[in-house]
Amino acid sequence: MKDNILRFIFAASIFLSAFLLFQIQPIIAKVILPWFGGSPAVWTTVMLFFQVLLTGGYAYAYWLVGRVRIPHQSLTHSLLAVAAVALSLGLGMLWASPVTPPASMKPLEASSPISEIFILLLITVALPYFILAANGPLMQAWFSRFFPERSYARLYALSNTGSLLGLLTYPTLVEPYQSLKNQGWTWSIGFIVFSLLVIFISIRNAGSKPPVQSASEGDLDSSPPATATKALWIALSATASLLLLSTTNQISQEVAVIPFLWILPLTLYLLSFILTFSGDAGYGRRRYLLLFASSVALLIYVLFQMKSLHVFVQIFTYCVYLFSACMLCHGELYRLRPEARHLTAFYLMISIGGALGGIFASLIAPLLFNGYWEFVVALALALAVGLRVLQPSRTENHAEWARFMLTVFLLFTASMSLFGRFSGALFAERNFFGVIRVGEVVPLNTREPAYQMSHGTTVHGMQFINPALRDLPTTYYAREGGGGLALLNHPRHGRGMKVGLFGLGVGTLAAYAQAGDEYRLYEINPSVIALAEGKGDYFTYLKHCKAKVTTVFGDARISLERELASGKPQNFDVLVLDTFSSDAIPVHLLTREAFDVYLKHLAPAGMIAVHISNLHLDLRPVVWQLAKFYGLSIASVSYPGDAKGGYPTDWLLLARDPGLLEIPAIRDHADRMAGYRTTVPLWTDDYSNLFQILK
């Protein structure tokens, strides 16, 4: 009976630590996402931090079990758990929520986002996460000491089940019903319960005997794993990690930056661990090889037909591909598992591989590639695993297999680096906020060549090369589009108008400026600023602008909040929100709290123009709810495009004064949305749901 209770406490400790380990990731990522412009790289940076810390936790467990006497193991781990609880509660008293940093910690400017994110995470969650990370391998090692006749593999599957539930419950049960502040307190209560379980087990462990070889693992090789085997553990784990991060990046870039689309790939990654480590029946080489081959064929089709396929088809394809590839990697890891006395070394190698995959995706790839070519590198490595699995006899030679993986990695990394340099773009640059390219195009229905800036697959501006057409507003900013109508027909047009603009692009809207106007442009991507201001002489809208132009580097909302705090409301006559045309939209710019800031910067007779053209998302109900909440008049302007470089576009115009939307030139092109209704709730900083507005 006592043994059953102790086994239950071990299982509860492992399950709860894994649950908390993976639930804190979306919580903290959602808090800091708006502070760094809503970039998809925020999630991959957070993932990198946690992977590195996970490796530290596994290394600590490896050291504790292998180098420290049993009583001292218990004392050391108990003291760390107590210190983590004390720190968490102390921060809760200081910040009003233990693991969610306050707004006062927002960066002044996102000039070094990766290091700034790392510092934030170190202060807020590093110690609790470190304890949680070490718990899985440490408890499994202690469990094998207490119950040498029982296998640890099922506890590993239980750990991954806890991780999976921690992820799945966040978007379904936690995020929709709890504020971020309450999420922090709920998580901390769970951490205190976990710490009590750990302290209880540590006390029992202090009086336990040295480990005895597991009978259940006696059929496995008892000799220490060879260096080649360890290298293969690292290679397979790194491949799976790179698959996870590169696929998550791909989805975030092409769909949206929302917690669910971060969680979904990670869920599949963990599910592959659960299935493969649940026993020999969980992984069948033939069926997963077949699934992987089919998913790769479908993936290639989707990559070439991306713009014509529904977003759900794309998400489904990426997910099937990721799951099948991770099943191969983790299935082979399970087949290569050691006996229990080497399991901390096994987990340490797996975590090192995971961290190496994260380091390559987050730190090295942006330096080597001017596109997201790590996705191709990960695909090549997955194919390399598949080829080896297809030849079972060759998987027994671990040294040869590890060398083959390294060769494929180096070959494709070098190839994709060169490919990016000779891809035909006039300019290509990758940074934390994405990939910016400039190319020469001939727009539809014209014969005039133009320079075009794109961010991923989304066009962010275009300017004709012909000097006679250089000042012509193009793409989404034609004269009869919503942005053009707002700027040309505002009562202060030509009388010293003050304009604010979120999202600089190539600076097209500056073509509407008149002498005496003041244009204040907010942009977070330094590459965009450099190009708009004349780098390469591709775009000259700002250079030829007649108004006084001020460019503000950083997240637009944070910049406006800082200006209010310093007593400098801008009093904009027109405020243009032009950051939502790509699929990875910054949600934090469309919340109630964000609009409260905008309205404090808006002149009494001011107008807000929101560009909502988007391939996959219908932002109309979100903006309509904001207009309703703040009592603003609203009108919709749809423009069909033209033969002068003007694209089909959708804009929403909002104003305190309904008369502004009755100006004839605006009224003739606008729909006042009189009968419009929506079930989409008002978005706030604590609540937003992009799935409700998928087209």
Side-chain angles (χ1 to χ4, degrees):
M1 183 66 176
K2 289 183 178 179
D3 283 352
N4 288 337
I5 293 174
L6 185 58
R7 282 197 294 268
F8 174 79
I9 293 175
F10 266 109
S13 166
I14 287 173
F15 178 87
L16 186 56
S17 67
F19 182 91
L20 295 171
L21 195 72
F22 279 85
Q23 187 148 108
I24 192 58
Q25 296 186 29
I27 291 175
I28 194 71
K30 186 170 183 181
V31 172
I32 67 174
L33 179 66
W35 300 0
F36 299 92
S39 168
V42 172
W43 176 246
T44 53
T45 304
V46 169
M47 286 284 290
L48 172 62
F49 176 86
F50 286 132
Q51 284 176 319
V52 171
L53 209 57
L54 187 71
T55 302
Y58 281 13
Y60 161 75
Y62 176 78
W63 166 79
L64 203 63
V65 171
R67 299 287 187 272
V68 179
R69 294 172 56 192
I70 292 174
H72 294 165
Q73 291 178 22
S74 300
L75 178 61
T76 301
H77 200 57
S78 296
L79 289 176
L80 276 179
V82 170
V85 170
L87 176 63
S88 182
L89 292 177
L91 291 177
M93 297 297 184
L94 184 64
W95 294 344
S97 180
V99 293
T100 53
S104 60
M105 293 187 70
K106 290 180 182 179
L108 295 177
E109 59 178 37
S111 56
S112 303
I114 292 177
S115 60
E116 290 169 354
I117 290 173
F118 268 49
I119 291 170
L120 277 170
L121 297 178
L122 277 170
I123 294 171
T124 54
V125 297
L127 184 56
Y129 192 92
F130 179 83
I131 299 298
L132 292 168
N135 193 67
L138 184 59
M139 290 299 133
Q140 289 174 56
W142 287 357
F143 180 87
S144 295
R145 180 181 298 156
F146 279 98
F147 307 104
E149 75 284 355
R150 292 181 174 268
S151 172
Y152 66 84
R154 291 190 180 276
L155 287 177
Y156 191 54
L158 177 65
S159 173
N160 283 291
T161 302
S163 302
L164 182 63
L165 289 176
L167 287 172
L168 292 179
T169 55
Y170 184 75
T172 56
L173 298 177
V174 177
E175 185 186 22
Y177 305 111
Q178 285 193 314
S179 68
L180 287 170
K181 175 182 175 182
N182 288 339
Q183 290 174 31
W185 277 112
T186 302
W187 187 90
S188 295
I189 291 170
F191 183 76
I192 292 171
V193 173
F194 154 78
S195 298
L196 292 174
L197 294 174
V198 166
I199 291 170
F200 175 82
I201 294 172
S202 296
I203 293 171
R204 291 294 305 271
N205 178 68
S208 66
K209 297 178 180 179
V212 179
Q213 182 176 344
S214 168
S216 66
E217 302 289 342
D219 58 320
L220 296 174
D221 183 14
S222 62
S223 60
T227 301
T229 302
K230 292 180 180 179
L232 195 51
W233 291 344
I234 292 174
L236 289 169
S237 176
T239 298
S241 174
L242 185 57
L243 282 163
L244 168 64
L245 293 174
S246 63
T247 304
T248 303
N249 255 341
Q250 187 79 0
I251 293 175
S252 295
Q253 287 292 330
E254 303 303 336
V255 184
V257 191
I258 54 176
F260 181 79
L261 290 182
W262 301 335
I263 290 170
L264 182 58
L266 188 52
T267 297
L268 296 171
Y269 174 85
L270 290 172
L271 182 60
S272 69
F273 261 125
I274 293 169
L275 292 175
T276 53
F277 278 78
S278 61
D280 292 337
Y283 171 61
R285 277 177 163 178
R286 288 186 178 180
R287 65 174 179 267
Y288 284 108
L289 266 175
L290 180 61
L291 179 62
F292 175 65
S294 302
S295 70
V296 169
L298 183 59
L299 176 69
I300 293 171
Y301 172 76
V302 166
L303 290 174
F304 281 99
Q305 301 292 329
M306 193 176 297
K307 290 191 176 182
S308 62
L309 294 174
H310 193 278
V311 60
F312 287 145
V313 175
Q314 297 181 47
I315 293 173
F316 173 80
T317 301
Y318 287 128
C319 288
V320 173
Y321 155 71
L322 174 65
F323 174 71
S324 61
C326 285
M327 282 298 298
L328 291 181
C329 294
H330 294 152
E332 294 306 308
L333 272 174
Y334 176 75
R335 293 172 67 93
L336 294 168
R337 72 196 186 283
E339 64 172 345
R341 68 192 182 97
H342 298 301
L343 86 91
T344 53
F346 179 56
Y347 289 149
L348 179 58
M349 296 304 110
I350 290 177
S351 66
I352 288 174
L356 289 176
I359 289 169
F360 181 79
S362 299
L363 300 181
I364 298 175
L367 299 177
L368 294 178
F369 307 142
N370 57 13
Y372 287 99
W373 304 121
E374 63 268 27
F375 184 78
V376 179
V377 174
L379 174 58
L381 287 170
L383 289 169
V385 175
L387 286 173
R388 281 285 160 165
V389 173
L390 195 60
Q391 307 171 68
S393 61
R394 303 193 69 181
T395 62
E396 302 305 317
N397 190 330
H398 299 170
E400 183 186 333
W401 191 358
R403 285 195 298 268
F404 178 59
M405 295 286 289
L406 180 60
T407 301
V408 170
F409 171 74
L410 294 175
L411 178 63
F412 273 83
T413 297
S415 298
M416 297 317 300
S417 179
L418 291 173
F419 173 79
R421 300 294 182 268
F422 300 100
S423 60
L426 299 173
F427 173 91
E429 188 167 279
R430 175 177 174 177
N431 58 25
F432 183 83
F433 303 101
V435 177
I436 297 295
R437 286 190 175 87
V438 176
E440 186 174 323
V441 299
V442 178
L444 290 174
N445 303 319
T446 75
R447 295 183 179 179
E448 292 288 344
Y451 293 129
Q452 177 179 280
M453 178 199 290
S454 59
H455 182 192
T457 59
T458 304
V459 175
H460 278 272
M462 179 180 71
Q463 188 173 20
F464 286 114
I465 297 174
N466 186 339
L469 302 174
R470 289 292 270 171
D471 294 330
L472 180 69
T474 60
T475 61
Y476 317 107
Y477 315 108
R479 298 175 67 86
E480 294 180 353
L485 289 172
L487 292 170
L488 287 173
N489 296 284
H490 190 279
R492 289 196 61 83
H493 177 66
R495 299 169 51 201
M497 185 165 62
K498 188 164 187 179
V499 175
L501 172 62
F502 289 14
L504 179 54
V506 302
T508 312
L509 286 175
Y512 293 109
Q514 301 293 308
D517 289 349
E518 183 178 345
Y519 274 53
R520 193 169 179 85
L521 315 175
Y522 298 86
E523 175 58 54
I524 198 170
N525 193 327
S527 298
V528 171
I529 294 175
L531 287 167
E533 291 183 342
K535 182 176 182 178
D537 290 325
Y538 303 116
F539 308 106
T540 60
Y541 287 117
L542 292 189
K543 188 181 294 186
H544 296 164
C545 183
K546 300 174 183 177
K548 175 187 176 183
V549 176
T550 303
T551 302
V552 180
F553 170 62
D555 179 78
R557 177 175 165 183
I558 294 176
S559 297
L560 289 181
E561 289 172 345
R562 192 175 301 123
E563 289 164 5
L564 282 179
S566 62
K568 297 177 181 178
Q570 296 300 318
N571 206 37
F572 292 122
D573 297 303
V574 177
L575 179 60
V576 181
L577 311 184
D578 184 30
T579 58
F580 312 116
S581 57
S582 66
D583 299 319
I585 69 167
V587 170
H588 68 290
L589 299 182
L590 281 174
T591 65
R592 181 189 67 205
E593 294 83 354
F595 264 67
D596 181 62
V597 174
Y598 306 158
L599 291 172
K600 289 175 181 176
H601 280 283
L602 198 66
M607 186 185 303
I608 299 177
V610 187
H611 182 201
I612 62 167
S613 304
N614 194 287
L615 185 62
H616 298 307
L617 304 171
D618 179 12
L619 295 169
R620 197 176 311 268
V622 178
V623 181
W624 186 86
Q625 283 283 28
L626 289 164
K628 179 182 175 183
F629 180 83
Y630 283 107
L632 305 175
S633 296
I634 184 170
S636 173
V637 178
S638 295
Y639 181 64
D642 56 43
K644 299 178 181 179
Y647 288 3
T649 57
D650 293 297
W651 289 76
L652 294 175
L653 305 182
L654 299 85
R656 294 190 185 97
D657 180 3
L660 288 173
L661 304 184
E662 293 298 331
I663 294 171
I666 295 177
R667 184 187 60 214
D668 293 347
H669 293 86
D671 172 11
R672 293 302 300 270
M673 304 174 66
Y676 186 83
R677 295 292 182 272
T678 181
T679 58
V680 174
L682 178 71
W683 282 10
T684 68
D685 286 349
D686 278 335
Y687 175 84
S688 59
N689 190 333
L690 281 168
F691 276 91
Q692 293 178 330
I693 60 171
L694 283 173
K695 291 181 179 178

